[in-house]
Each structure stands twice: as C-alpha cells, then as structure tokens.
C-alpha cells in the first residue's frame, strides 16, 4: 500500500508559489468531506501582488504584440496538454465529467481567440482623426496598467481564463481572486502559466474570501481598473464608491456574460485600454490641403 | 602630521567576526512587528535620518535645486513632517545646494576624495575635500583606498583618513568603506577600526555604485565595531548605511537593530543616517497609507 501524496495548494505571486503571509487557510469541502486546504489570502498578499504586477507590466507591454500573442497561444498549448489533469481536478471538486470537459476545451479556445487579437486590436481600433488645423492627429490604445479582478464564482476555469486573457492580451498585468468554491483549478492553471513563458508578475492568482478582500481590492491607489464578476449589490456599490478615490475604471459582469461565447470579442480588450491622442504639427505648403 | 600622535592599535589583531552568528542575528531583527502609532513615529524618524542623495554624472544644478526642495518639503499634504537630515551631492554642486537649503536646517553633504573609486593622489583628494568645504559642505563623505587595504597597507589607509579629517576642518567626516569590495566581514571590521581610530565621525557602508551595498549583516558588523570603539575610547561614532535600502519596511528593521545594538543614544540623525534616494517616497507612501487606510501609488508622489 502506498502513502497518499496530497497536493499543497498555494498562491501565485510574481511567478512564485508562496503560501499566504497570514498563515490562514480554509477547508474546501465537497459533500462534507475536506478535499484540500486552501490559502485564505490577506490584504498584504494582495499588496505584494500589486507591487510585482506593477513592476512586470512595463516589460510585458514592451514585448512586441506578436510575442505576446505567441505567449498566449503557448498557454493554450500547455493547457491542452494537461486537459485530463484539469478534468480530474474538477471532478474532485464535484463537477460532472461532461461539464468539466467543456470547461477545459472552451478555456483553451478562449486563449487561442485572445492570442489572435494581441497584434490586431491596435490596427483595428487606432486611427487617424480628421482635424481642422494643420496637424497630423492620431489615436492609439494603451494598456491601463494593473487590473484586479474577481473571477466568476460559478466557474472553475473558463471564467478565470477569460478574465485573464482579455487583460493580458492588451498589455495589462493582472491580479485575480479565484473562485472561492472552485479554487483548485485556478492554482493548477497558475502552474500552466508558469511553464508557458508568461513573465513572473504579469498574472497573479490569489485564493480566499471575496467578502474580506473586496474593500482592499477597490481602495488600492496603485490599481488602474477593477473587474467584478458577480451580482452582489452591496459589493458592487462598495467597489464603485471606493473606485472613485483614484478613478479606477470599473467593469461589472454577471458570471454568465463572461462564460458565454459572446465574450469572445475584441471590445473586451478595449474596455481596459486608454486612448492616447497625439497632435503632430505638419507643414502646410502653398495652401495645399493636408492629406488627412 | 597630526595622525602620528593618534593611537594606532595593531589592526591585524582586529576582532574576527562570526559570520553565521551575525547573519542569524540580523534575521531575527526582521521578525519584529511595528504597528500603528509606533510605526508612524518610527517612519517620521526614518525620514529625519535620510541623506537625500543624487550622485549621477547627469546631475544638473536644477536637479539639485529640485532635490533640495524635496528635502525641505517632503509631502505638502501631510502636516508636521520633519525635513530630511541632509542632501548629498558632488563637490561642484555643493554651492547650489547650500543656497537652496539656506535657513532650513538641512545639511549639505558632499562626496569627495575622487569618489567613487578613490583612485587618485593624496593632493587631489585634499584639494577635492577643501573645495567642498570651502563651498559650504557641512559633511564630507570620503572613500578609502580599497586597493591599498587589500595590499595590507593599513598605515597608508589610516594616514589618508587622518589627513582628510584635518582638511575637513569643522565639517563632519563620513568614511565610506565600500563593503561590496572588501569581501569578508573580518575585513569590514578591520577597516571600521582603522577609520574610527583615524578620526572618522561616521562610518558608511557604500558608495551606492557597487552591489552589494548596505546589507543588515554588514551594518551589524560595523555597529558592533562602533560600540566596541566607544567602550574603548569613550568617543561616539555615527553609522550610515547607504545604497539598496529602498523600502520603509527595511528601514524600520535597521532602526530595530540600532536600538538593540547601540541603544537610544544612536537613535537620532546626529548619529545615524540612511543614504538613499528612493527610500523617502516609500516612507511617505506608508505614512499616507497609515493616515488614509489605502495602499498608495507612486503616481501621487513627486519624482526624484
């Protein structure tokens, strides 16, 4: 008889897998049986995550769009190769096999979808603007910076993957709180990220209680935007109020909106971009009209 | 030369350092938890101990003026903050700094003696020092000749420090050991002894141009040298870790260490300084965090 080897689920910050600094954990129970101890992250874990996300964001954005695209595709490849592991883990958390299979396959497809957009959304959504003066005037999209999110509670993988893919494909870095009920696959997904050339700090995954962290996620001054998946009116109100301290952009989704096929559209990338407009003086010779 | 009359122990017999012990002890300083009011008070103390530093080839007069303004007005939205202890610049910029800081109580420190390598003749080093002092420097940060030390020329190093000390006149002398180039704790201890017996008012870890710069074990080793020297001679010597201390948290660890190794007497900016350029903003961010409850972003603090 062999001793059981149980996995320790830790969190993912800056390309490493530390335990929560608070030392706290919660028991993940399925049908009254504990299947794992999960880190209950504190505000300090969150602060650490934001610090590394801020550091990583610049380098991530400086990579060529094509390279970002390759890396997103690489995540999809690695995830594809580990399908069975994810399906088994979801079954462990009490999800039926057929649902689990769909969840993984859709996640891979979603990554491929956003990988494709990395080097295309700029050309589609940037443009030269007609102006009345002799200026060459153009607008381009730039990533907002550090985005924090509450992944959909009802989804073990697809919700988390969708939220992350839309953010990092646009050059943002990301701090995500995984689903409270299904945290295991989120941490296993971190292992996938870690072996797919995603630079440390670009994606950071925390586990713990939404109720406890919502205040800290929304008040942090070094966070540029916040994505909330869920319907709790009080939490939404709190986020909207706190976001005003430094004008964080707030996006609210119902879980099913993130999980639906319709989430696969480039406007999800655009929601977390800032438009930069440049006025460049041009010489006007002999009253000739500017070509733009 | 006056240095002839100074006590000059046999520095080959300087105390040896227990490396494992030093590292373990510093690890324990890092486990202290300082919260709420004590944290706020300590952070203000840290601010008052900072030597706000700019030592770049690209320094301009206006950069120095801007730094001086920062030194005097750390954060306008936060009342009753101290000023930093000093502004540290190259000798040619001392004059500008002195004018900008007039009447504020913030001191002007200047590096000298062919900073950062120290590879020059004694005449040049003396001239460098005198130039800085004549332009109004209150403090001189000199570098030692590390090469000579490694050659075993302890008397050369000793005499050089003593000569520069004379050239300083009333200005306080900080001696930079450049611990990153010394290699062992034993060497750090030995150079600390040489510097103090030769007349240093402060010993300082690093120029900030070499990595590793200030680390807690090295600073502990130097603090113990200062303490032993104090027991031996009754003269107090200051300590200045410089380079690599950029977070408020690590600065608090240093305060804990000073308090525990040296006691209250050293816990002020006359005897303890931080040489840093980025530390001030991090401390300010922590202070504002304590006040508002929100973690801060560097977007809202002045660039320096």
């Amino acid at each position: 008889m062999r001793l059981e080897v149980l996995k320790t689920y830790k969190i993912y910050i800056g390309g490493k897998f530390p335990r929560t600094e608070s030392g706290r954990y919660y028991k993940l129970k399925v049908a009254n049986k504990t299947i794992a101890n999960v880190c209950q992250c504190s505000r300090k874990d969150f602060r650490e995550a934001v610090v590394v996300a801020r550091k990583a964001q610049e380098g991530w954005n400086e990579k060529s769009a094509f390279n970002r695209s390759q890396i997103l595709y690489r995540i999809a490849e690695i995830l594809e190769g580990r399908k069975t592991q994810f399906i088994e883990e979801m079954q462990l958390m009490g999800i039926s096999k057929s649902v689990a299979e769909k969840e993984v396959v859709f996640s891979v497809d979603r990554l491929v979808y956003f990988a494709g957009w990395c080097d295309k959304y700029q050309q589609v959504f940037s443009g030269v603007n007609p102006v009345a003066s002799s200026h060459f005037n153009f607008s381009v999209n730039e990533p907002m910076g550090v985005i924090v999110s509450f992944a959909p509670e009802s989804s073990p993988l697809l919700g988390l993957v969708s939220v992350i893919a839309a953010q990092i494909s646009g050059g943002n870095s990301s701090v995500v709180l995984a689903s409270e009920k299904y945290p295991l696959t989120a941490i296993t997904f971190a292992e996938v990220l870690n072996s797919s050339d995603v630079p440390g700090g670009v994606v950071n995954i925390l586990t713990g209680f939404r109720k406890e962290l919502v205040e800290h996620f929304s008040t942090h001054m070094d966070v540029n935007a916040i994505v909330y998946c869920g319907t709790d009116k009080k939490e939404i109100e709190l986020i909207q109020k706190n976001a005003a301290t430094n004008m964080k952009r707030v996006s609210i989704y119902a879980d099913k909106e993130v999980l639906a096929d319709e989430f696969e559209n480039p406007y999800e990338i655009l929601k977390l971009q800032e438009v930069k407009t440049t006025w460049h003086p041009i010489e006007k010779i002999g009253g000739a009209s500017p070509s733009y | 030369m006056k240095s002839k009359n100074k006590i000059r122990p046999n520095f080959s017999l300087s105390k040896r350092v227990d490396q494992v012990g030093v590292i373990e002890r510093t690890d324990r300083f890092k486990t202290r938890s300082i919260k709420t009011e004590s944290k706020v008070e300590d952070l203000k103390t840290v601010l008052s101990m900072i030597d706000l530093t700019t030592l770049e080839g690209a320094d301009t007069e206006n950069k120095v003026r801007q730094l001086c303004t920062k030194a005097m007005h750390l954060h306008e939205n936060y009342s009753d903050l101290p000023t930093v202890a000093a502004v540290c610049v190259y000798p040619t910029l001392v004059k500008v700094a002195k004018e900008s800081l007039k009447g504020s109580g913030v001191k002007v420190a200047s590096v000298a003696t062919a900073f950062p390598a120290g590879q020059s003749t004694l005449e040049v080093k003396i001239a460098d020092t005198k130039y800085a002092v004549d332009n109004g420097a209150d403090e001189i940060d000199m570098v030692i000749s590390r090469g000579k030390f490694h050659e075993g020329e302890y008397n050369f190093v000793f005499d050089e420090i003593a000569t520069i000390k004379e050239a300083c006149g009333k200005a306080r002398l900080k001696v930079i050991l450049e611990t990153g180039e010394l290699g062992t704790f034993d060497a750090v201890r030995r150079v600390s002894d040489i510097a103090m017996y030769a007349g240093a008012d402060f010993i300082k870890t690093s120029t900030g141009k070499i990595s590793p710069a200030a680390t807690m074990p090295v600073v502990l080793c130097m603090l113990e040298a200062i303490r032993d020297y104090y027991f031996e001679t009754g003269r107090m010597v200051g300590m200045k870790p410089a380079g690599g201390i950029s977070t408020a948290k690590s600065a608090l660890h240093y305060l804990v260490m000073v308090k525990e190794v040296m006691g209250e007497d050293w816990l002020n900016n006359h005897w303890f300084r931080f040489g840093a350029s980025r530390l001030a903003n991090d401390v300010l961010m922590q202070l504002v965090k304590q006040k508002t409850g929100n973690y801060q972003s560097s977007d809202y603090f002045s660039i320096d």
Side-chain angles (χ1 to χ4, degrees):
Chain A
M1 166 138 175
R2 215 174 139 252
L3 270 179
E4 239 184 328
V5 180
L6 294 173
K7 182 164 159 185
T8 310
Y9 287 90
K10 297 191 279 187
I11 52 179
Y12 187 55
I13 297 179
K16 295 198 172 70
F17 291 89
R19 289 180 171 82
T20 165
E21 64 79 40
S22 66
R24 303 174 306 174
Y25 65 95
Y26 67 98
K27 289 184 187 302
L28 186 66
K29 288 189 175 167
V30 175
N32 269 333
K33 190 172 163 263
T34 303
I35 53 167
N37 292 330
V38 181
C39 287
Q40 186 194 334
C41 285
S42 65
R43 68 191 166 100
K44 282 194 184 166
D45 296 313
F46 171 62
R47 178 191 61 185
E48 288 305 312
V50 172
V51 170
V52 291
R54 173 62 64 197
K55 276 196 192 130
Q57 195 264 328
E58 197 179 297
W60 177 242
N61 186 39
E62 276 171 6
K63 282 191 186 296
S64 71
F66 178 59
N67 188 220
R68 277 207 306 276
S69 166
Q70 287 175 308
I71 291 173
L72 256 86
Y73 193 79
R74 179 82 184 151
I75 307 173
E77 283 176 2
I78 306 265
L79 184 58
E80 175 79 19
R82 294 205 193 173
K83 256 200 246 166
T84 43
Q85 183 190 357
F86 278 90
I87 292 169
E88 280 171 18
E89 210 164 39
M90 281 185 227
Q91 284 178 294
L92 183 70
M93 293 191 288
I95 294 166
S96 76
K97 189 168 180 194
S98 61
V99 173
E101 272 170 355
K102 268 191 199 157
E103 188 86 7
V104 182
V105 173
F106 287 169
S107 300
V108 174
D109 292 354
R110 198 145 285 188
L111 283 162
V112 173
Y113 178 83
F114 281 103
W117 271 108
C118 285
D119 60 350
K120 297 178 188 68
Y121 74 95
Q122 281 288 10
Q123 343 19 346
V124 175
F125 297 106
S126 303
V128 175
N129 314 314
V131 287
S133 57
S134 58
H135 285 90
F136 176 43
N137 183 288
F138 56 97
S139 297
V140 292
N141 290 290
E142 287 190 341
M144 294 193 71
V146 176
I147 317 294
V148 300
S149 340
F150 297 93
E153 186 56 34
S154 59
S155 155
L157 188 64
L158 180 58
L160 178 92
V161 167
S162 306
V163 164
I164 292 173
Q167 294 169 1
I168 64 174
S169 56
N172 294 294
S173 60
S174 179
V175 179
V176 195
L177 181 70
S179 162
E180 214 168 289
K181 199 169 152 201
Y182 303 120
L184 304 191
T185 31
I187 296 306
T188 308
F189 181 66
E191 292 162 16
V192 170
L193 291 171
N194 198 37
S195 46
S196 340
D197 302 330
V198 181
V202 171
V203 180
N204 306 278
I205 300 178
L206 307 178
T207 55
F209 299 151
R210 187 181 275 212
K211 210 164 62 183
E212 178 191 349
L213 290 167
V214 75
E215 168 83 19
H216 308 297
F217 271 48
S218 54
T219 52
H220 200 306
M221 299 288 280
D222 208 22
V223 166
N224 301 98
I226 183 162
V227 173
Y228 178 89
C229 305
T231 47
D232 187 315
K233 287 222 171 70
K234 272 193 187 147
E235 285 178 349
I236 294 173
E237 196 189 317
L238 182 70
I239 287 174
Q240 286 174 329
K241 215 193 279 173
N242 287 342
T245 49
N246 68 333
M247 305 309 220
K248 287 179 197 69
R249 194 177 291 177
V250 181
S251 311
I252 310 280
Y253 294 95
D255 286 9
K256 61 172 192 258
E257 291 177 273
V258 180
L259 304 176
D261 290 346
E262 288 72 36
F263 192 81
E264 290 187 5
N265 75 75
Y267 294 98
E268 295 304 333
I269 302 176
L270 226 57
K271 277 184 187 168
L272 298 168
Q273 301 283 309
E274 297 270 19
V275 177
K276 181 171 87 177
T277 297
T278 307
W279 294 73
H280 190 72
I282 47 173
E283 204 174 5
K284 211 171 176 183
I285 303 162
S289 61
S291 45
Y292 297 106
Chain B
M1 245 192 300
K2 264 193 200 156
S3 64
K4 294 256 164 59
N5 308 325
K6 286 187 169 155
I7 312 165
R8 191 183 304 224
N10 182 353
F11 294 112
S12 311
L13 302 177
S14 272
K15 276 195 187 157
R16 297 302 162 105
V17 180
D18 167 13
Q19 184 183 349
V20 175
V22 162
I23 291 171
E24 284 195 352
R25 187 160 180 213
T26 50
D27 283 344
R28 286 203 297 277
F29 293 130
K30 293 180 196 163
T31 61
R32 303 301 151 77
S33 173
I34 299 171
K35 302 271 183 219
T36 55
E37 301 94 349
S38 338
K39 185 172 179 182
V40 170
E41 283 313 306
D42 282 2
L43 289 172
K44 286 183 184 170
T45 310
V46 169
L47 283 180
S48 77
M49 288 173 166
I50 291 176
D51 280 8
L52 208 57
T53 304
T54 181
L55 296 169
E56 303 296 331
D59 284 349
T60 58
E61 293 195 354
N62 279 337
K63 163 107 193 264
V64 171
R65 285 191 191 103
Q66 185 255 337
L67 198 73
C68 292
T69 310
K70 170 104 183 186
M72 296 182 286
H73 311 277
L74 281 165
H75 196 57
E76 294 295 11
N77 297 334
Y78 197 110
S79 54
D80 63 88
L81 280 182
T83 62
V84 300
V87 168
C88 183
V89 293
Y90 272 117
T92 45
L93 294 161
V94 167
K95 206 171 202 167
V96 182
K98 193 74 190 171
E99 277 165 20
S100 315
L101 292 170
K102 205 183 237 169
S104 67
V106 180
K107 299 201 159 45
V108 178
S110 169
V111 295
T113 71
F115 181 91
Q119 296 283 20
S120 193
T121 60
L122 188 59
E123 288 72 35
V124 170
K125 290 181 182 181
I126 293 171
D128 201 15
T129 310
K130 286 208 164 124
Y131 177 81
V133 174
D134 291 345
N135 277 287
D138 304 295
E139 296 166 0
I140 297 293
D141 291 28
M142 74 169 284
V143 289
I144 63 156
S145 301
R146 282 87 76 187
K148 288 287 178 191
F149 171 78
H150 285 307
E151 284 166 12
E153 302 273 10
Y154 302 157
N155 284 333
F156 180 95
V157 178
F158 185 99
D159 290 337
E160 197 172 65
I161 297 170
T163 312
I164 299 297
K165 170 71 186 162
E166 262 174 66
C168 282
K170 280 186 184 156
R172 293 178 89 198
L173 176 67
K174 306 195 196 105
V175 178
I176 304 172
L177 312 189
E178 194 62 303
T179 51
E181 289 186 341
L182 294 179
T184 64
F185 286 117
D186 284 347
V188 171
R189 171 71 194 223
R190 194 169 294 174
V191 186
S192 303
D193 287 346
I194 295 174
M196 288 185 295
Y197 278 99
D201 297 303
F202 261 91
I203 51 177
K204 170 174 168 185
T205 56
S206 325
T207 58
K209 306 288 181 200
I210 297 274
S211 185
T215 62
M216 285 191 76
V218 153
V219 174
L220 175 59
C221 175
M222 290 166 72
L223 285 174
E224 283 179 341
I226 293 174
R227 189 190 56 198
D228 291 349
Y229 176 78
Y230 174 69
F231 286 147
E232 193 75 28
T233 65
R235 187 170 81 92
M236 281 171 86
V237 174
M239 174 70 214
K240 176 176 171 186
I245 305 167
S246 56
T247 64
K249 197 174 183 179
S250 59
L252 292 181
H253 292 154
Y254 277 92
L255 289 194
V256 169
M257 178 159 71
V258 174
K259 161 89 178 158
E260 206 167 291
V261 180
M262 311 301 290
E264 294 276 345
D265 289 350
W266 263 266
L267 217 51
N268 55 59
N269 67 9
H270 197 69
W271 298 112
F272 192 78
R273 297 279 178 84
F274 291 103
S277 45
R278 284 169 299 161
L279 175 62
N281 267 4
D282 197 61
V283 174
L284 290 171
M285 278 163 68
Q286 293 304 318
L287 279 170
V288 178
K289 195 259 151 186
Q290 288 293 328
K291 201 174 218 180
T292 62
N294 299 347
Y295 288 119
Q296 296 299 304
S297 162
S298 57
D299 290 355
Y300 305 98
F301 294 81
S302 63
I303 299 166
D304 51 17

